[in-house]
Amino acid sequence: MEYSARSQTEFQTFFREWLIQLERYLNQLLNLLQSPDDHQQDEPNHKQLIRRVMAHYHDYFLAKARVSSRNVFLVLSPPWFSPYERIFLWVAGFKPGLSICIVKTCGLELTSDQAERIERLTVETKDDESAITERLVRLEQQVLAPTILALTRMGGREVNGMIDDADAAVDSLAKGMEFLVGLADFLREKTVAKVVGILTTAQTVMFLAAMIQFQLRIRRWGQLRETEIHRDANNPLSIGFGGGGS
């Protein structure tokens, strides 16, 4: 328990600092977008910034993997995210296909070849997502269902070996979930890397800026909602008078 608590505290500290740096990168990307004429003559620096942003996300996945190896259930329902943020989670993170949706909605002018490659990537990513989801369902059915059914049949009575079997089932589930979280994170990184491989440097700057803005906007909305809930909970005048809002 203490080990899990320490892992949570360490990651929350890392995550706060990581988000601060992410906002810095966003500001740099937005500055580039405000000077479109500089793209061609300063493309090497733009590519370097893109690499730094990609490396920054990779650092996040590495740090999350370390927490997952200690307590995978912590990253599956991360306390460092608000309940609103957790709505968007799929196997401990955003769905990989979300990055492709951002490409299609952030105003990029794609060539016919780029559009075709993006569509192929869309199909490929959906197939990969479905495969992971199917493995998740099978894991839960194979590991948890038999043990829970057996415990239910015992009517809550502790029988020799039954509690040990339940603990073993949870351990087996944790190992399986850790593998699937790693697989999902690999797909998330791979999908973004493939998107970047399709786009030009200027388009990648716009795409990364849009992706970061979306992520930070979701976080701010979640924090705002949490603030409103706590405010209403501490305000007795809001009870019964619609003070909570919708």
Side-chain angles (χ1 to χ4, degrees), residues 68-110:
S68 181
S69 68
R70 300 170 184 171
N71 184 356
V72 68
F73 301 112
L74 197 59
V75 301
L76 288 169
S77 184
W80 47 85
F81 285 160
S82 66
Y84 180 76
E85 288 175 282
R86 290 198 287 270
I87 292 173
F88 294 86
L89 295 185
W90 171 85
V91 196
F94 288 122
K95 264 197 167 186
L98 181 61
S99 58
I100 302 175
C101 292
I102 290 173
V103 170
K104 296 178 178 181
T105 58
C106 71
L108 296 178
E109 295 182 5
L110 302 177

Tab-separated table of all heavy atoms in Angstrom, residues 68-110:
chain	number	residue	atom	x	y	z
A	68	SER	N	2.568	1.649	-13.925
A	68	SER	CA	1.762	0.485	-14.294
A	68	SER	C	2.397	-0.813	-13.810
A	68	SER	O	1.699	-1.741	-13.388
A	68	SER	CB	1.586	0.446	-15.815
A	68	SER	OG	0.804	-0.651	-16.205
A	69	SER	N	3.719	-0.880	-13.831
A	69	SER	CA	4.405	-2.100	-13.392
A	69	SER	C	4.264	-2.308	-11.882
A	69	SER	O	4.384	-3.428	-11.396
A	69	SER	CB	5.891	-2.036	-13.776
A	69	SER	OG	6.567	-1.044	-13.024
A	70	ARG	N	4.003	-1.233	-11.149
A	70	ARG	CA	3.836	-1.325	-9.694
A	70	ARG	C	2.371	-1.533	-9.318
A	70	ARG	O	2.062	-2.303	-8.416
A	70	ARG	CB	4.364	-0.054	-9.023
A	70	ARG	CG	5.838	0.210	-9.279
A	70	ARG	CD	6.232	1.600	-8.800
A	70	ARG	NE	7.613	1.920	-9.120
A	70	ARG	CZ	8.156	3.120	-8.969
A	70	ARG	NH1	7.429	4.117	-8.467
A	70	ARG	NH2	9.421	3.334	-9.294
A	71	ASN	N	1.479	-0.810	-10.014
A	71	ASN	CA	0.049	-0.915	-9.730
A	71	ASN	C	-0.724	-0.477	-10.968
A	71	ASN	O	-1.021	0.706	-11.140
A	71	ASN	CB	-0.331	-0.049	-8.531
A	71	ASN	CG	-1.796	-0.199	-8.150
A	71	ASN	OD1	-2.560	-0.893	-8.814
A	71	ASN	ND2	-2.196	0.461	-7.078
A	72	VAL	N	-1.047	-1.426	-11.828
A	72	VAL	CA	-1.701	-1.093	-13.094
A	72	VAL	C	-3.086	-0.497	-12.878
A	72	VAL	O	-3.566	0.309	-13.678
A	72	VAL	CB	-1.784	-2.346	-13.998
A	72	VAL	CG1	-2.740	-3.375	-13.422
A	72	VAL	CG2	-2.199	-1.953	-15.410
A	73	PHE	N	-3.745	-0.882	-11.766
A	73	PHE	CA	-5.094	-0.370	-11.522
A	73	PHE	C	-5.070	1.133	-11.235
A	73	PHE	O	-6.090	1.811	-11.401
A	73	PHE	CB	-5.744	-1.144	-10.370
A	73	PHE	CG	-5.834	-2.628	-10.638
A	73	PHE	CD1	-5.071	-3.526	-9.910
A	73	PHE	CD2	-6.656	-3.115	-11.642
A	73	PHE	CE1	-5.142	-4.885	-10.163
A	73	PHE	CE2	-6.730	-4.469	-11.907
A	73	PHE	CZ	-5.973	-5.360	-11.176
A	74	LEU	N	-3.926	1.637	-10.825
A	74	LEU	CA	-3.782	3.070	-10.580
A	74	LEU	C	-3.864	3.852	-11.889
A	74	LEU	O	-4.494	4.906	-11.949
A	74	LEU	CB	-2.447	3.338	-9.881
A	74	LEU	CG	-2.275	4.686	-9.190
A	74	LEU	CD1	-3.320	4.895	-8.109
A	74	LEU	CD2	-0.871	4.781	-8.583
A	75	VAL	N	-3.233	3.339	-12.950
A	75	VAL	CA	-3.267	4.052	-14.229
A	75	VAL	C	-4.573	3.807	-14.977
A	75	VAL	O	-4.949	4.587	-15.856
A	75	VAL	CB	-2.071	3.673	-15.130
A	75	VAL	CG1	-0.762	3.982	-14.454
A	75	VAL	CG2	-2.120	2.218	-15.555
A	76	LEU	N	-5.280	2.734	-14.621
A	76	LEU	CA	-6.568	2.475	-15.273
A	76	LEU	C	-7.655	3.417	-14.760
A	76	LEU	O	-8.605	3.728	-15.479
A	76	LEU	CB	-6.988	1.021	-15.039
A	76	LEU	CG	-6.176	-0.027	-15.815
A	76	LEU	CD1	-6.497	-1.427	-15.311
A	76	LEU	CD2	-6.434	0.082	-17.315
A	77	SER	N	-7.518	3.861	-13.510
A	77	SER	CA	-8.433	4.860	-12.961
A	77	SER	C	-7.604	5.913	-12.241
A	77	SER	O	-7.602	6.003	-11.010
A	77	SER	CB	-9.430	4.204	-11.997
A	77	SER	OG	-10.374	5.145	-11.531
A	78	PRO	N	-6.866	6.717	-13.009
A	78	PRO	CA	-5.862	7.616	-12.429
A	78	PRO	C	-6.454	8.745	-11.589
A	78	PRO	O	-7.269	9.523	-12.080
A	78	PRO	CB	-5.145	8.184	-13.670
A	78	PRO	CG	-6.125	8.026	-14.779
A	78	PRO	CD	-6.940	6.820	-14.464
A	79	PRO	N	-6.055	8.836	-10.317
A	79	PRO	CA	-6.557	9.908	-9.457
A	79	PRO	C	-6.024	11.281	-9.851
A	79	PRO	O	-6.539	12.297	-9.375
A	79	PRO	CB	-6.064	9.494	-8.067
A	79	PRO	CG	-4.885	8.613	-8.320
A	79	PRO	CD	-5.173	7.906	-9.596
A	80	TRP	N	-4.980	11.336	-10.702
A	80	TRP	CA	-4.466	12.637	-11.145
A	80	TRP	C	-5.325	13.224	-12.269
A	80	TRP	O	-5.102	14.341	-12.696
A	80	TRP	CB	-3.015	12.515	-11.601
A	80	TRP	CG	-2.740	11.356	-12.513
A	80	TRP	CD1	-2.891	11.313	-13.864
A	80	TRP	CD2	-2.255	10.066	-12.121
A	80	TRP	NE1	-2.544	10.077	-14.347
A	80	TRP	CE2	-2.143	9.286	-13.297
A	80	TRP	CE3	-1.901	9.504	-10.898
A	80	TRP	CZ2	-1.693	7.969	-13.289
A	80	TRP	CZ3	-1.463	8.189	-10.881
A	80	TRP	CH2	-1.360	7.437	-12.058
A	81	PHE	N	-6.331	12.461	-12.739
A	81	PHE	CA	-7.309	12.976	-13.696
A	81	PHE	C	-8.620	13.234	-12.969
A	81	PHE	O	-8.979	12.513	-12.034
A	81	PHE	CB	-7.566	11.985	-14.828
A	81	PHE	CG	-6.457	11.892	-15.844
A	81	PHE	CD1	-6.344	10.781	-16.663
A	81	PHE	CD2	-5.525	12.902	-15.982
A	81	PHE	CE1	-5.328	10.687	-17.607
A	81	PHE	CE2	-4.505	12.818	-16.916
A	81	PHE	CZ	-4.413	11.711	-17.733
A	82	SER	N	-9.352	14.234	-13.424
A	82	SER	CA	-10.683	14.496	-12.880
A	82	SER	C	-11.653	13.450	-13.428
A	82	SER	O	-11.366	12.786	-14.429
A	82	SER	CB	-11.148	15.894	-13.291
A	82	SER	OG	-11.327	15.936	-14.711
A	83	PRO	N	-12.821	13.278	-12.785
A	83	PRO	CA	-13.827	12.348	-13.315
A	83	PRO	C	-14.187	12.664	-14.764
A	83	PRO	O	-14.423	11.750	-15.558
A	83	PRO	CB	-15.019	12.554	-12.378
A	83	PRO	CG	-14.395	12.969	-11.081
A	83	PRO	CD	-13.222	13.829	-11.481
A	84	TYR	N	-14.223	13.946	-15.112
A	84	TYR	CA	-14.545	14.320	-16.491
A	84	TYR	C	-13.465	13.825	-17.448
A	84	TYR	O	-13.770	13.300	-18.528
A	84	TYR	CB	-14.681	15.844	-16.589
A	84	TYR	CG	-15.024	16.326	-17.985
A	84	TYR	CD1	-16.322	16.198	-18.481
A	84	TYR	CD2	-14.064	16.910	-18.806
A	84	TYR	CE1	-16.643	16.633	-19.757
A	84	TYR	CE2	-14.378	17.352	-20.084
A	84	TYR	CZ	-15.663	17.216	-20.549
A	84	TYR	OH	-15.981	17.635	-21.821
A	85	GLU	N	-12.211	13.962	-17.086
A	85	GLU	CA	-11.124	13.470	-17.936
A	85	GLU	C	-11.188	11.964	-18.092
A	85	GLU	O	-10.913	11.422	-19.176
A	85	GLU	CB	-9.766	13.876	-17.342
A	85	GLU	CG	-9.439	15.345	-17.447
A	85	GLU	CD	-8.151	15.692	-16.738
A	85	GLU	OE1	-8.163	15.791	-15.492
A	85	GLU	OE2	-7.120	15.853	-17.420
A	86	ARG	N	-11.556	11.279	-17.019
A	86	ARG	CA	-11.584	9.820	-17.060
A	86	ARG	C	-12.660	9.292	-17.998
A	86	ARG	O	-12.594	8.137	-18.433
A	86	ARG	CB	-11.758	9.246	-15.647
A	86	ARG	CG	-10.513	9.438	-14.781
A	86	ARG	CD	-10.519	8.518	-13.570
A	86	ARG	NE	-11.472	8.913	-12.556
A	86	ARG	CZ	-11.206	9.739	-11.554
A	86	ARG	NH1	-10.012	10.296	-11.442
A	86	ARG	NH2	-12.136	10.036	-10.659
A	87	ILE	N	-13.647	10.127	-18.337
A	87	ILE	CA	-14.668	9.726	-19.301
A	87	ILE	C	-14.033	9.393	-20.648
A	87	ILE	O	-14.496	8.520	-21.379
A	87	ILE	CB	-15.717	10.856	-19.477
A	87	ILE	CG1	-16.538	11.032	-18.195
A	87	ILE	CG2	-16.654	10.570	-20.657
A	87	ILE	CD1	-17.471	12.217	-18.231
A	88	PHE	N	-12.948	10.085	-20.979
A	88	PHE	CA	-12.316	9.937	-22.287
A	88	PHE	C	-11.293	8.797	-22.336
A	88	PHE	O	-10.711	8.536	-23.388
A	88	PHE	CB	-11.621	11.249	-22.682
A	88	PHE	CG	-12.562	12.390	-22.919
A	88	PHE	CD1	-12.987	13.187	-21.863
A	88	PHE	CD2	-13.038	12.667	-24.194
A	88	PHE	CE1	-13.861	14.244	-22.073
A	88	PHE	CE2	-13.916	13.716	-24.412
A	88	PHE	CZ	-14.332	14.501	-23.349
A	89	LEU	N	-11.076	8.130	-21.214
A	89	LEU	CA	-10.031	7.118	-21.169
A	89	LEU	C	-10.462	5.811	-21.838
A	89	LEU	O	-11.597	5.372	-21.699
A	89	LEU	CB	-9.607	6.845	-19.731
A	89	LEU	CG	-8.935	7.998	-18.977
A	89	LEU	CD1	-8.475	7.526	-17.613
A	89	LEU	CD2	-7.769	8.560	-19.771
A	90	TRP	N	-9.527	5.224	-22.537
A	90	TRP	CA	-9.672	3.894	-23.133
A	90	TRP	C	-8.372	3.152	-22.861
A	90	TRP	O	-7.323	3.544	-23.356
A	90	TRP	CB	-9.928	4.024	-24.639
A	90	TRP	CG	-9.874	2.716	-25.394
A	90	TRP	CD1	-10.886	1.821	-25.551
A	90	TRP	CD2	-8.743	2.183	-26.097
A	90	TRP	NE1	-10.451	0.757	-26.302
A	90	TRP	CE2	-9.140	0.949	-26.656
A	90	TRP	CE3	-7.441	2.628	-26.306
A	90	TRP	CZ2	-8.279	0.150	-27.406
A	90	TRP	CZ3	-6.571	1.832	-27.047
A	90	TRP	CH2	-7.001	0.611	-27.591
A	91	VAL	N	-8.414	2.137	-22.034
A	91	VAL	CA	-7.219	1.396	-21.622
A	91	VAL	C	-6.140	2.378	-21.136
A	91	VAL	O	-5.029	2.431	-21.655
A	91	VAL	CB	-6.668	0.497	-22.749
A	91	VAL	CG1	-5.697	-0.542	-22.166
A	91	VAL	CG2	-7.780	-0.220	-23.492
A	92	ALA	N	-6.529	3.222	-20.180
A	92	ALA	CA	-5.603	4.130	-19.479
A	92	ALA	C	-5.078	5.281	-20.330
A	92	ALA	O	-4.017	5.831	-20.052
A	92	ALA	CB	-4.428	3.355	-18.885
A	93	GLY	N	-5.824	5.676	-21.340
A	93	GLY	CA	-5.396	6.827	-22.146
A	93	GLY	C	-6.424	7.150	-23.210
A	93	GLY	O	-7.445	6.464	-23.356
A	94	PHE	N	-6.150	8.208	-23.985
A	94	PHE	CA	-7.034	8.546	-25.083
A	94	PHE	C	-6.981	7.455	-26.148
A	94	PHE	O	-5.956	6.795	-26.330
A	94	PHE	CB	-6.629	9.874	-25.728
A	94	PHE	CG	-6.939	11.085	-24.884
A	94	PHE	CD1	-5.934	11.959	-24.495
A	94	PHE	CD2	-8.231	11.347	-24.476
A	94	PHE	CE1	-6.208	13.079	-23.714
A	94	PHE	CE2	-8.525	12.468	-23.695
A	94	PHE	CZ	-7.512	13.335	-23.322
A	95	LYS	N	-8.076	7.270	-26.863
A	95	LYS	CA	-8.067	6.315	-27.965
A	95	LYS	C	-7.077	6.790	-29.032
A	95	LYS	O	-7.038	7.979	-29.359
A	95	LYS	CB	-9.466	6.192	-28.583
A	95	LYS	CG	-10.273	5.032	-28.049
A	95	LYS	CD	-11.432	4.706	-28.962
A	95	LYS	CE	-12.021	3.354	-28.573
A	95	LYS	NZ	-13.057	2.928	-29.524
A	96	PRO	N	-6.279	5.888	-29.588
A	96	PRO	CA	-5.318	6.283	-30.624
A	96	PRO	C	-5.978	6.985	-31.797
A	96	PRO	O	-5.412	7.921	-32.372
A	96	PRO	CB	-4.706	4.938	-31.041
A	96	PRO	CG	-4.831	4.084	-29.821
A	96	PRO	CD	-6.128	4.464	-29.199
A	97	GLY	N	-7.186	6.538	-32.158
A	97	GLY	CA	-7.878	7.139	-33.290
A	97	GLY	C	-8.229	8.597	-33.087
A	97	GLY	O	-8.537	9.307	-34.057
A	98	LEU	N	-8.190	9.067	-31.847
A	98	LEU	CA	-8.510	10.468	-31.586
A	98	LEU	C	-7.531	11.397	-32.298
A	98	LEU	O	-7.918	12.469	-32.779
A	98	LEU	CB	-8.482	10.734	-30.081
A	98	LEU	CG	-8.830	12.149	-29.632
A	98	LEU	CD1	-10.243	12.520	-30.059
A	98	LEU	CD2	-8.690	12.274	-28.118
A	99	SER	N	-6.264	10.991	-32.384
A	99	SER	CA	-5.282	11.836	-33.062
A	99	SER	C	-5.625	11.991	-34.540
A	99	SER	O	-5.407	13.056	-35.131
A	99	SER	CB	-3.871	11.251	-32.909
A	99	SER	OG	-3.811	9.938	-33.432
A	100	ILE	N	-6.199	10.955	-35.139
A	100	ILE	CA	-6.602	11.044	-36.541
A	100	ILE	C	-7.813	11.955	-36.684
A	100	ILE	O	-7.919	12.729	-37.645
A	100	ILE	CB	-6.907	9.642	-37.104
A	100	ILE	CG1	-5.679	8.738	-36.964
A	100	ILE	CG2	-7.324	9.721	-38.564
A	100	ILE	CD1	-5.899	7.306	-37.386
A	101	CYS	N	-8.734	11.888	-35.719
A	101	CYS	CA	-9.890	12.798	-35.731
A	101	CYS	C	-9.436	14.251	-35.681
A	101	CYS	O	-10.011	15.124	-36.337
A	101	CYS	CB	-10.810	12.495	-34.555
A	101	CYS	SG	-11.642	10.908	-34.653
A	102	ILE	N	-8.384	14.516	-34.901
A	102	ILE	CA	-7.862	15.875	-34.792
A	102	ILE	C	-7.285	16.326	-36.130
A	102	ILE	O	-7.469	17.476	-36.546
A	102	ILE	CB	-6.813	15.959	-33.673
A	102	ILE	CG1	-7.504	15.803	-32.312
A	102	ILE	CG2	-6.046	17.286	-33.723
A	102	ILE	CD1	-6.558	15.709	-31.135
A	103	VAL	N	-6.606	15.417	-36.827
A	103	VAL	CA	-6.084	15.743	-38.167
A	103	VAL	C	-7.218	16.198	-39.073
A	103	VAL	O	-7.088	17.162	-39.833
A	103	VAL	CB	-5.374	14.522	-38.783
A	103	VAL	CG1	-5.047	14.772	-40.257
A	103	VAL	CG2	-4.094	14.204	-38.032
A	104	LYS	N	-8.350	15.505	-38.990
A	104	LYS	CA	-9.471	15.764	-39.898
A	104	LYS	C	-10.271	17.006	-39.529
A	104	LYS	O	-11.063	17.491	-40.342
A	104	LYS	CB	-10.397	14.547	-39.926
A	104	LYS	CG	-9.748	13.293	-40.491
A	104	LYS	CD	-10.706	12.103	-40.448
A	104	LYS	CE	-10.069	10.861	-41.055
A	104	LYS	NZ	-10.995	9.686	-41.042
A	105	THR	N	-10.069	17.510	-38.316
A	105	THR	CA	-10.903	18.637	-37.870
A	105	THR	C	-10.120	19.909	-37.554
A	105	THR	O	-10.731	20.909	-37.165
A	105	THR	CB	-11.697	18.238	-36.613
A	105	THR	OG1	-10.785	17.829	-35.574
A	105	THR	CG2	-12.650	17.089	-36.912
A	106	CYS	N	-8.796	19.876	-37.710
A	106	CYS	CA	-8.023	21.063	-37.294
A	106	CYS	C	-7.691	21.997	-38.464
A	106	CYS	O	-6.859	22.882	-38.321
A	106	CYS	CB	-6.751	20.647	-36.557
A	106	CYS	SG	-5.490	19.896	-37.598
A	107	GLY	N	-8.352	21.788	-39.601
A	107	GLY	CA	-8.219	22.741	-40.702
A	107	GLY	C	-7.047	22.513	-41.637
A	107	GLY	O	-6.674	23.424	-42.393
A	108	LEU	N	-6.470	21.327	-41.636
A	108	LEU	CA	-5.354	21.042	-42.532
A	108	LEU	C	-5.855	20.847	-43.967
A	108	LEU	O	-6.907	20.243	-44.188
A	108	LEU	CB	-4.617	19.774	-42.090
A	108	LEU	CG	-3.911	19.815	-40.728
A	108	LEU	CD1	-3.287	18.455	-40.439
A	108	LEU	CD2	-2.847	20.894	-40.709
A	109	GLU	N	-5.097	21.367	-44.902
A	109	GLU	CA	-5.413	21.155	-46.314
A	109	GLU	C	-4.535	20.009	-46.820
A	109	GLU	O	-3.368	20.193	-47.139
A	109	GLU	CB	-5.163	22.433	-47.117
A	109	GLU	CG	-6.093	23.579	-46.737
A	109	GLU	CD	-5.862	24.813	-47.591
A	109	GLU	OE1	-5.037	24.740	-48.538
A	109	GLU	OE2	-6.500	25.840	-47.323
A	110	LEU	N	-5.133	18.824	-46.887
A	110	LEU	CA	-4.391	17.637	-47.275
A	110	LEU	C	-4.445	17.424	-48.785
A	110	LEU	O	-5.458	17.724	-49.422
A	110	LEU	CB	-4.973	16.396	-46.580
A	110	LEU	CG	-5.008	16.410	-45.047
A	110	LEU	CD1	-5.681	15.141	-44.535
A	110	LEU	CD2	-3.614	16.548	-44.463
